[in-house]
Amino acid sequence: MDKRDIVELIDNNVNQVQLLIHERVHIWQEYVLFSGLWWLGVFLSIIPWIVWFLVRNKHSTDRILYAGFFVMVISLILDILGDQLGFWHYRFNVIPVLPTYFPWDVTLMPITIMFLIQVKPRANPYLKAILFALLTSYVAEPFITWLMIYEPLIWRFSYSVPIQFIIYLFANYISRRNKYKELA
């Protein structure tokens, strides 16, 4: 197969994907936008950030936000991979073209971890990590599955436990860093 044939295959695939995305946006506009679960997603995307802003430790805002942004990036990457590989998919998205559940990746995961880092900062991070992993894997994921927002296809809730555990520990580590070189 020469380069032109490969380019044609790729272009045809992209065209099919774009048609499906247009169909997805149409379904979202007709049935999801302004539905109860859409409003729940909007609420979950905004209100936790307001609450965090009001109750955060003002002296630790920067370092805790670094950890939160790390969690956002990792959550988005893993969620996109899981969706694209067919491990799970989401319905009732806040934003139709994102293959992730925006409130989970950009708000709920980072805010929960930032609160856990801030509350009892001297507590054992491994205990906090296991608490976070168990709650997200066995309470949050089943709940959004029950709401029919999240549909695990070949994924089991138990698979999430070690991933959530590691994400928390890395975020905690990032929040403890204080060896930044001064800007020249």
Side-chain angles (χ1 to χ4, degrees):
M1 188 175 278
D2 74 352
K3 190 164 112 180
R4 291 179 203 271
D5 293 334
I6 295 170
V7 167
E8 185 177 337
L9 278 173
I10 292 170
D11 289 349
N12 286 338
N13 180 263
V14 168
N15 291 335
Q16 290 174 2
V17 168
Q18 287 176 343
L19 288 173
L20 288 172
I21 289 172
H22 288 295
E23 183 179 349
R24 182 181 185 142
V25 169
H26 174 74
I27 291 168
W28 180 83
Q29 288 173 329
E30 288 290 318
Y31 304 104
V32 174
L33 184 62
F34 304 123
S35 69
L37 290 175
W38 181 82
W39 281 111
L40 176 65
V42 170
F43 175 82
L44 291 174
S45 297
I46 298 169
I47 300 303
W49 279 107
I50 294 170
V51 171
W52 180 80
F53 183 79
L54 294 174
V55 301
R56 78 194 189 287
N57 179 342
K58 278 100 176 131
H59 300 292
S60 300
T61 299
D62 289 346
R63 70 180 178 80
I64 292 174
L65 272 176
Y66 297 144
F69 288 137
F70 163 79
V71 172
M72 274 186 226
V73 169
I74 295 301
S75 297
L76 284 165
I77 290 169
L78 293 176
D79 224 356
I80 289 168
L81 283 173
D83 178 82
Q84 296 299 302
L85 294 173
F87 295 166
W88 58 75
H89 71 90
Y90 294 98
R91 306 177 193 105
F92 302 98
N93 293 30
V94 174
I95 301 169
V97 294
L98 296 181
T100 68
Y101 192 59
F102 186 83
W104 181 255
D105 296 327
V106 176
T107 300
L108 298 174
M109 281 272 294
I111 293 287
T112 303
I113 287 176
M114 291 188 312
F115 271 124
L116 284 172
I117 289 170
Q118 183 174 308
V119 173
K120 296 204 180 273
R122 305 229 188 277
N124 186 330
Y126 293 98
L127 291 177
K128 285 183 172 184
I130 196 66
L131 173 69
F132 174 74
L134 293 173
L135 285 175
T136 56
S137 300
Y138 295 122
V139 176
E141 286 183 27
F143 182 68
I144 64 172
T145 301
W146 178 76
L147 288 174
M148 293 196 260
I149 292 171
Y150 171 62
E151 179 64 27
L153 301 171
I154 60 171
W155 193 258
R156 303 290 170 257
F157 300 137
S158 297
Y159 300 167
S160 298
V161 174
I163 296 167
Q164 304 289 17
F165 182 82
I166 290 168
I167 289 172
Y168 179 86
L169 288 179
F170 272 116
N172 184 72
Y173 173 77
I174 289 169
S175 76
R176 304 289 186 238
R177 303 298 302 152
N178 62 2
K179 296 185 179 185
Y180 294 102
K181 185 176 179 182
E182 285 193 34
L183 296 175

